[in-house]
Amino acid sequence: MPSACDSLIDDIEDMVSSSDPTPHERQSARKSIIPRSRRKKELNNEELQVDSLIPGTQKIWMKTWGCSHNNSDGEYMAGQLAASGYKMTDDPTEADVWLLNSCTVKNPAEDHFRNSIKKATEQQKKVVVAGCVPQAQPRMEYLKGLSIIGVQQIDRVVEVVDEAVKGHSVRLLGQKKDGGRRLGGARLDLPKIRKNPLIEIISINTGCLNACTYCKTKHARGDLASYPIEELVERARQSFQEGVCEIWLTSEDTGAYGRDIGTDLPKLLWRLVEEIPEGAMLRLGMTNPPYILEHLEEMAKILNHPRVYAFLHVPVQSASDSVLMDMKREYCIDDFKRVVDFLKQRVPGVTIATDIICGFPGETDEDFQETVDLVKCYRFPSLFINQFYPRPGTPAAKMEQVAAHVKKQRTKELSQLFHSYNPYDHEVGERQHVLVTEESFDGQYYVAHNKFYEQVLVPKRVEFKGKMIEVDIYEAGKHFLKGQPVEHSKPFTPSIAAPLQKGEVSGLMQEHLANGIQGSSFLIGSSSVDREALKKLGIGLALAAIILAFIVEKLY
């Protein structure tokens, strides 16, 4: 008897009996079959549920405090976020994420920063913090649990925001190095959204060589680290190709530029002026007296250049040598006077802006009077007066403090002196060329600057924006001049390309190139793309279409 597993069929064909239809009959029968339509899944008007935490779909509001270096960092962070899909908004209430870019120079700036964090958490917003405060003091109680972007890590802002959106806390506070040498920071060719499409802020270095006893910024930015000249020149060149007509050079101390990489500021400036188109202008940032002293001759020549503003910000902080010594400023008041006197003699009309701290620890009435006398002597047209604030962790915070009411009184007295003179009255009746770059706060005028970087208000005519125009000065105020356009004088367009629109991301072409589209011929302001790049793009689109078709098939 055969077992249960023994086969009774010798071959698979033996399964077909004589009563089964033949292959020909089966084929003929198909013609009479009507296929049954598959019904699509009923959606009942329900929307597809998409994960609301997918990074890159949120709105971001960013607030920046502090110096132009911090503003440049903010522009870079906004550009990278927008390029990755996030939407930047000016309305904090509609934003999903608040990106707060802080300043650590004074107590009030940090207070505003802290209050903004509190407000964001009360409104249940995701918070990411950046800038000098968290870099210098990441363990502060009010920063606990927040994501932090270090001042040298701004090129990774998208990663940090992505994780913050998911509810994760990420902290990137490291320094960028190459072969053990500290770098200036993130790449200069990253995407950015310029606050003003006509003005490019370029950080030429980060950190400084000083150790001022009152300064908290040193704790955040560290020692001097300069960008190579070629990278800075290329950044300027790219900016002009995007319609920028004014460049600001910035850092914690522009005068110290290059000392860590075997070069100096004048060498950089002579290279940059070669790139500046006619009608565009370059503005130098703050430089401390010790470093500008070494280059006075060259700096005077550069400031006289027609495409460089005859403007220099040289902070004195105090006119008392004993106070300067306690501040560890590494110069005496005679050094400062030598810089100012030399530049005034060699650069007629030059604007010297300076800073003064009132009520530094140990400052006597006699010390303060020396500062008052300095202001009376030079009548600085631009004077930044700061009441001393002891910053945590600085040597000055441990010194014997001047009484609060005395600091306030000295600040008030110096402010009254500053407002007692009008530095621009002598210019009424002059004819000047001015570069128009922005709108006044009240929206009534366009703001331009003359060769000496003095603010000139001109009529708000759209054809003036981003142009060099000729005006007759008819009025002078404490902080401004007013100019009437010269009749029949045509505005001169300095840019070599049309400027970007407000909110438009710059540098995207360079970013594509840096990320691996090699051999392509992307041109700024051009639609020229070579076949290889198009081929790669086509392959990517085809693959995306296949994936999309598969998803649709599964849904329906």
Side-chain angles (χ1 to χ4, degrees):
M1 184 176 178
S3 68
C5 62
D6 287 342
S7 176
L8 298 175
I9 301 173
D10 294 328
D11 198 283
I12 193 70
E13 271 86 14
D14 293 338
M15 293 181 66
V16 181
S17 69
S18 59
S19 62
D20 289 335
T22 66
H24 176 72
E25 291 171 333
R26 284 197 299 268
Q27 187 67 30
S28 300
R30 290 182 183 177
K31 297 176 182 178
S32 61
I33 295 174
I34 300 174
R36 182 176 63 192
S37 62
R38 287 190 298 171
R39 295 179 62 190
K40 294 182 180 179
K41 293 180 181 179
E42 296 293 337
L43 296 180
N44 297 325
N45 295 322
E46 291 181 358
E47 293 184 3
L48 291 174
Q49 296 300 308
V50 180
D51 186 354
S52 62
L53 295 182
I54 295 176
T57 62
Q58 291 75 20
K59 293 181 180 179
I60 298 179
W61 176 70
M62 185 169 70
K63 172 70 175 177
T64 294
W65 292 266
C67 65
S68 54
H69 193 165
N70 232 30
N71 276 275
S72 177
D73 286 352
E75 291 179 347
Y76 275 124
M77 288 191 283
Q80 292 172 86
L81 290 166
S84 70
Y86 288 101
K87 182 179 180 183
M88 305 305 296
T89 177
D90 293 327
D91 185 355
T93 61
E94 73 171 17
D96 304 292
V97 181
W98 284 17
L99 174 53
L100 305 175
N101 189 19
S102 62
C103 172
T104 191
V105 172
K106 301 185 210 174
N107 289 10
E110 184 171 350
D111 291 342
H112 287 305
F113 172 62
R114 185 189 300 111
N115 291 336
S116 293
I117 292 174
K118 181 180 178 183
K119 190 174 181 180
T121 53
E122 289 173 350
Q123 297 183 24
Q124 297 184 324
K125 307 289 187 181
K126 302 286 187 182
V127 182
V128 175
V129 295
C132 292
V133 171
Q135 180 74 53
Q137 299 172 283
R139 292 183 178 84
M140 293 290 286
E141 183 66 27
Y142 67 90
L143 297 177
K144 191 171 291 185
L146 299 181
S147 290
I148 296 176
I149 304 163
V151 294
Q152 287 208 315
Q153 300 291 334
I154 60 171
D155 55 340
R156 301 182 67 184
V157 63
V158 174
E159 298 173 55
V160 177
V161 171
D162 283 351
E163 293 304 315
V165 164
K166 298 174 188 175
H168 304 154
S169 178
V170 179
R171 297 190 167 201
L172 298 179
L173 295 164
Q175 295 183 352
K176 293 189 179 298
K177 295 184 178 181
D178 180 16
R181 183 179 67 83
R182 185 166 177 265
L183 299 177
R187 289 196 342 253
L188 293 172
D189 61 349
L190 293 170
K192 77 157 44 177
I193 296 178
R194 298 185 182 95
K195 188 175 181 181
N196 184 338
L198 298 173
I199 298 175
E200 167 69 3
I201 306 172
I202 302 179
S203 304
I204 63 174
N205 56 264
T206 188
C208 69
L209 294 173
N210 295 344
C212 301
T213 55
Y214 57 82
C215 182
K216 188 72 176 177
T217 306
K218 175 79 172 189
H219 295 192
R221 298 283 184 178
D223 291 328
L224 180 70
S226 305
Y227 286 97
I229 287 179
E230 291 304 323
E231 290 183 21
L232 294 165
V233 170
E234 180 56 36
R235 181 62 190 178
R237 188 180 294 126
Q238 177 199 329
S239 300
F240 290 126
Q241 289 173 335
E242 291 178 336
V244 163
C245 61
E246 187 172 288
I247 284 184
W248 297 357
L249 300 186
T250 185
S251 77
E252 284 64 60
D253 187 350
T254 59
Y257 170 79
R259 286 173 170 249
D260 57 320
I261 57 174
T263 187
D264 55 46
L265 182 61
K267 289 187 178 70
L268 169 64
L269 295 176
W270 284 124
R271 286 293 310 279
L272 285 173
V273 295
E274 295 174 3
E275 301 295 331
I276 304 173
E278 185 179 356
M281 297 296 289
L282 174 71
R283 192 196 81 173
L284 274 66
M286 186 273 287
T287 179
N288 283 310
Y291 308 114
I292 201 69
L293 270 170
E294 298 181 17
H295 307 299
L296 282 178
E297 288 279 358
E298 286 299 296
M299 290 305 299
K301 293 176 185 176
I302 290 165
L303 293 175
N304 276 312
H305 193 284
R307 294 192 288 277
V308 178
Y309 286 117
F311 168 89
L312 198 62
H313 180 191
V314 188
V316 64
Q317 306 301 7
S318 173
S320 164
D321 283 341
S322 61
V323 172
L324 291 174
M325 185 175 293
D326 288 340
M327 291 179 172
K328 288 193 175 179
R329 288 293 287 166
E330 299 183 2
Y331 59 87
C332 62
I333 193 59
D334 285 342
D335 293 331
F336 175 81
K337 290 179 178 179
R338 182 183 166 204
V339 169
V340 177
D341 292 342
F342 185 92
L343 293 178
K344 279 181 168 292
Q345 180 184 2
R346 300 293 186 91
V347 188
V350 66
T351 296
I352 301 294
T354 196
D355 300 1
I356 288 174
I357 296 175
C358 295
F360 186 81
E363 182 186 64
T364 65
D365 289 339
E366 292 75 18
D367 293 328
F368 177 67
Q369 188 57 48
E370 289 184 73
T371 300
V372 170
D373 292 342
L374 181 78
V375 175
K376 286 180 178 177
C377 175
Y378 288 102
R379 297 165 67 91
F380 300 103
S382 183
L383 180 61
F384 303 95
I385 301 168
N386 303 289
Q387 179 179 315
F388 174 76
Y389 290 98
R391 301 296 291 132
T394 62
K398 301 175 184 178
M399 299 177 181
E400 185 176 352
Q401 304 295 306
V402 172
H405 73 279
V406 175
K407 290 192 289 187
K408 289 181 180 178
Q409 178 57 36
R410 290 175 182 172
T411 303
K412 181 180 178 181
E413 182 181 339
L414 199 60
S415 296
Q416 289 174 338
L417 170 59
F418 174 61
H419 285 93
S420 69
Y421 59 86
N422 293 319
Y424 306 132
D425 286 350
H426 67 282
E427 296 183 55
V428 173
E430 291 184 1
R431 181 165 290 186
Q432 300 179 349
H433 285 89
V434 299
L435 180 58
V436 184
T437 55
E438 50 197 314
E439 186 177 301
S440 61
F441 285 117
D442 60 9
Q444 300 300 308
Y445 300 92
Y446 275 155
V447 177
H449 291 91
N450 59 18
K451 164 67 177 172
F452 312 106
Y453 203 69
E454 296 161 346
Q455 185 172 263
V456 182
L457 304 180
V458 301
K460 193 176 176 182
R461 299 182 194 167
V462 66
E463 66 269 23
F464 290 166
K465 196 72 175 287
K467 309 292 196 306
M468 184 78 74
I469 65 173
E470 193 173 20
V471 299
D472 289 324
I473 303 299
Y474 66 90
E475 184 181 332
K478 174 62 182 176
H479 302 286
F480 65 88
L481 297 160
K482 286 186 179 180
Q484 182 63 38
V486 175
E487 193 174 358
H488 305 307
S489 177
K490 294 183 179 180
F492 179 79
T493 305
S495 303
I496 61 175
L500 302 178
Q501 297 299 308
K502 188 172 179 63
E504 190 175 352
V505 181
S506 84
L508 284 182
M509 295 304 181
Q510 284 73 15
E511 182 69 4
H512 289 317
L513 289 170
N515 286 334
I517 302 181
Q518 302 298 330
S520 62
S521 57
F522 282 100
L523 299 177
I524 296 175
S526 167
S527 60
S528 173
V529 185
D530 80 5
R531 296 177 183 274
E532 187 61 25
L534 285 173
K535 182 179 177 181
K536 291 181 181 180
L537 181 62
I539 292 170
L541 290 174
L543 187 59
I546 292 169
I547 295 171
L548 181 60
F550 178 79
I551 293 172
V552 170
E553 175 69 18
K554 287 296 183 183
L555 284 174
Y556 297 108

